[in-house]
Amino acid sequence: MNITIIGTGYVGLVTGVSLSEIGHYVTCVDINEEKVKLLNSGVSPIYEPGLSELMVKNADRLYFTTSHEEALVEADVVYIAVETPEKEDGSVNLTFIERAVEQIANYISNDVVVVIKSTVPVGTNQRIKSMLPANINVVSNPEFLREGSAIHDVFYGDRIVIGSDSPDALKIMRGINEPFGIPIVETDLNSAEMIKYASNAFLATKISLINELANICSRVGADIEEVALGMGLDSRIGTQFLKAGIGYGGSCFPKDTKALVNIAEEVGYEFGILKAVIDLNDKQQHVLLNQAIKDFGELNGKTIGVLGLAFKPNTDDIRNAASLAIIPELINLGATVKAYDPAAMGQAKMVLPKEVLYQDSALHTIESTDIVFILTEWDEIRELDLQEYVNRMKTATIYDGRNCYSLDEVSQYPIRYFSIGRKYQKRGRLL
Ligand code: UGA
């Protein structure tokens, strides 16, 4: 079976490399020449644990090219894994998908199965099928990969979803995917597309719910960590995705939730819960800032250290991260902002205001500050000795958006410590 993957972004590359690991011959095509050169020399352009090792291990079953003709002419199965960016109105831009479909129509010589990995609005797969010759079958095969653990998720995922109107195409996809040893859900095209959006909508809702509960917990004197554990052990609820914090970010939840609201609107349905989830997440990203303004009156003239810029640890991705919501406001309010992230400063420099003073370590970042905001729970930040805040800050004041430290530990130090959904330690006392 010759498999071709169009698009070597994060999803396409992880998919192609993983398929080569289970024995398939895979050709990946991308228009970016530099990237293809790099890939053919065995180097991954993205950091994803385990990916480079698998690329090297399966080099004889993996090939990268910029030529669609070369990649498609002998293909039996073609995966489309190009990006589907968000348009200004929250709907999905399908230009790259449409271009890929045109290339397929131009160059294939076999009765290929076309597999759509990209996240696309419900009905898109059917539209793609209608753009292709009648003998070409289309399968929707959404991805459920998390950045930073994508390779793990391919091999130990909870399910593989394949949707198609063609029993033959489903059979081929079963054959390709069975070696992963993961339950396979077979369904129709529209339902497969919907499963992807519904899953991300559910997870985003779970996060917004726990964040709302956290905001109530801190007001009624309950502890969200204990509440989350007590709830999560109910197997109908589950312990995962119950970590309260400063809201979700990244490229997926923000984009897919807005897209699903849009999809619903187009069929005359107002998706009330999901609209609230999006709105609450925007508010949640400002929780620390609002508390600091409440405590200090104004932030003009204050020096503020920001620890963590990425939307989650172990990635350099800052898309929709809380840092992007908070830092420009801090600067507008007249604060001096020092910032540090173990991986994301390069990305941050491209989008954050030029006034941000980037530091080479967490310790330099907290030095001589009035306030520290913790926005990403990198291990390096969680492991920072609390005594360092006491020694280095003017008066140790931490607003922790990721609950990095236990209250027992913090209470040993003269630190003013505000976290999410837990007691507020003011001047060495828990309130
Ligand atoms: C997410 C989904 O988890 C994947 O299943 C999905 O395939 C992917 O989107 C996608 O659609 O491509 P990802 O965006 O990489 O993956 O990141 P997550 O690990 O899910 O985290 C998303 C955000 O939620 C982060 O900002 C994280 O800090 C936040 N989060 C997560 C919480 O605030 N609390 C939690 O309990 C879990």
Side-chain angles (χ1 to χ4, degrees):
M1 188 80 64
N2 287 324
I3 298 180
T4 289
I5 315 267
I6 304 184
T8 61
Y10 164 76
V11 173
L13 187 57
V14 168
T15 304
V17 171
S18 303
L19 288 170
S20 75
E21 168 71 4
I22 56 168
H24 301 295
Y25 285 86
V26 181
T27 302
C28 299
V29 55
D30 199 290
I31 47 173
N32 184 331
E33 271 180 37
E34 287 299 305
K35 202 179 190 184
V36 167
K37 228 185 255 168
L38 199 68
L39 288 162
N40 271 328
S41 69
V43 179
S44 166
I46 54 166
Y47 173 71
E48 192 59 43
L51 181 63
S52 300
E53 290 82 344
L54 289 188
M55 273 177 68
V56 172
K57 183 176 166 207
N58 298 298
D60 56 347
R61 280 196 293 269
L62 269 172
Y63 175 62
F64 300 91
T65 177
T66 52
S67 160
H68 283 84
E69 182 170 7
E70 184 186 16
L72 290 166
V73 74
E74 309 234 315
D76 301 307
V77 177
V78 182
Y79 283 68
I80 300 183
V82 295
E83 58 174 330
T84 48
E86 186 180 327
K87 287 199 212 160
E88 269 190 15
D89 64 357
S91 65
V92 181
N93 179 347
L94 294 172
T95 316
F96 299 108
I97 295 259
E98 281 156 7
R99 262 187 228 154
V101 173
E102 279 166 24
Q103 303 278 18
I104 294 171
N106 283 346
Y107 295 121
I108 49 164
S109 55
N110 300 330
D111 287 353
V112 298
V113 173
V114 173
V115 183
I116 312 296
K117 267 273 165 209
S118 310
T119 302
V120 289
V122 183
T124 307
N125 276 267
Q126 277 185 344
R127 199 149 65 77
I128 291 171
K129 185 160 172 36
S130 69
M131 289 162 69
L132 289 162
N135 55 328
I136 305 302
N137 284 314
V138 172
V139 175
S140 168
N141 175 216
E143 53 87 15
F144 303 102
L145 311 175
R146 287 165 303 172
E147 276 186 50
S149 44
I151 293 288
H152 174 273
D153 291 347
V154 173
F155 291 95
Y156 302 97
D158 295 317
R159 78 307 203 185
I160 291 169
V161 173
I162 48 177
S164 182
D165 303 334
S166 152
D168 291 346
L170 286 174
K171 192 169 163 219
I172 290 172
M173 283 302 280
R174 244 192 338 267
I176 291 175
N177 285 285
E178 261 161 6
F180 286 121
I182 292 169
I184 296 177
V185 177
E186 290 185 20
T187 180
D188 58 90
L189 281 174
N190 287 6
S191 303
E193 290 167 321
M194 192 63 175
I195 288 169
K196 166 70 187 193
Y197 282 110
S199 301
N200 276 357
F202 187 90
L203 293 172
T205 305
K206 211 172 170 188
I207 297 172
S208 277
L209 178 74
I210 203 71
N211 286 338
E212 288 271 87
L213 289 169
N215 296 339
I216 299 167
C217 279
S218 53
R219 287 166 172 81
V220 298
D223 185 311
I224 194 61
E225 312 260 295
E226 309 207 347
V227 171
L229 178 67
M231 288 165 66
L233 288 174
D234 182 329
S235 59
R236 292 169 302 175
I237 296 174
T239 49
Q240 294 189 54
F241 273 74
L242 283 184
K243 185 130 190 31
I246 33 144
Y248 60 76
S251 66
C252 305
F253 291 166
K255 175 166 81 83
D256 292 351
T257 45
K258 279 187 237 157
L260 188 50
V261 164
N262 234 284
I263 290 166
E265 252 159 32
E266 276 179 13
V267 289
Y269 192 85
E270 189 179 340
F271 200 156
I273 289 188
L274 202 55
K275 280 181 154 177
V277 165
I278 295 166
D279 186 42
L280 291 168
N281 196 61
D282 289 342
K283 288 201 183 106
Q284 193 68 14
Q285 291 197 325
H286 290 89
V287 159
L288 301 183
L289 180 64
N290 292 339
Q291 186 65 39
I293 293 171
K294 193 167 157 200
D295 291 341
F296 283 81
E298 60 167 354
L299 300 179
N300 186 20
K302 297 274 181 269
T303 302
I304 299 180
V306 176
L307 296 178
L309 301 170
F311 83 99
K312 66 175 185 179
N314 307 316
T315 174
D316 64 353
D317 195 341
I318 55 160
R319 285 175 288 178
N320 300 294
S323 59
L324 302 195
I326 296 174
I327 291 176
E329 288 201 38
L330 290 174
I331 286 169
N332 279 342
L333 291 169
T336 300
V337 176
K338 298 168 78 180
Y340 171 71
D341 188 286
M345 292 199 287
Q347 299 290 331
K349 283 176 190 164
M350 291 192 254
V351 289
L352 283 175
K354 59 177 184 347
E355 289 87 349
V356 176
L357 306 169
Y358 295 95
Q359 307 294 309
D360 58 7
S361 70
L363 290 181
H364 286 151
T365 309
I366 64 177
E367 192 74 53
S368 306
T369 50
D370 298 287
I371 299 169
V372 164
F373 284 116
I374 299 177
L375 304 186
T376 320
E377 67 277 35
W378 288 93
D379 283 346
E380 185 184 331
I381 294 168
R382 298 160 78 101
E383 285 158 12
L384 209 64
D385 187 344
L386 286 167
Q387 187 61 43
E388 297 287 358
Y389 293 97
V390 178
N391 296 348
R392 290 168 188 261
M393 293 182 70
K394 289 180 193 159
T395 308
T397 305
I398 305 173
Y399 293 87
D400 181 356
R402 299 297 188 169
N403 293 0
C404 287
Y405 307 114
S406 84
L407 292 184
D408 278 351
E409 201 189 343
V410 177
S411 64
Q412 317 286 316
Y413 298 85
I415 294 177
R416 181 180 206 167
Y417 181 70
F418 176 86
S419 56
I420 308 287
R422 302 187 297 176
K423 287 184 178 154
Y424 185 2
Q425 171 168 292
K426 287 187 183 168
R427 291 174 216 91
R429 272 188 310 126
L430 285 172
L431 296 179

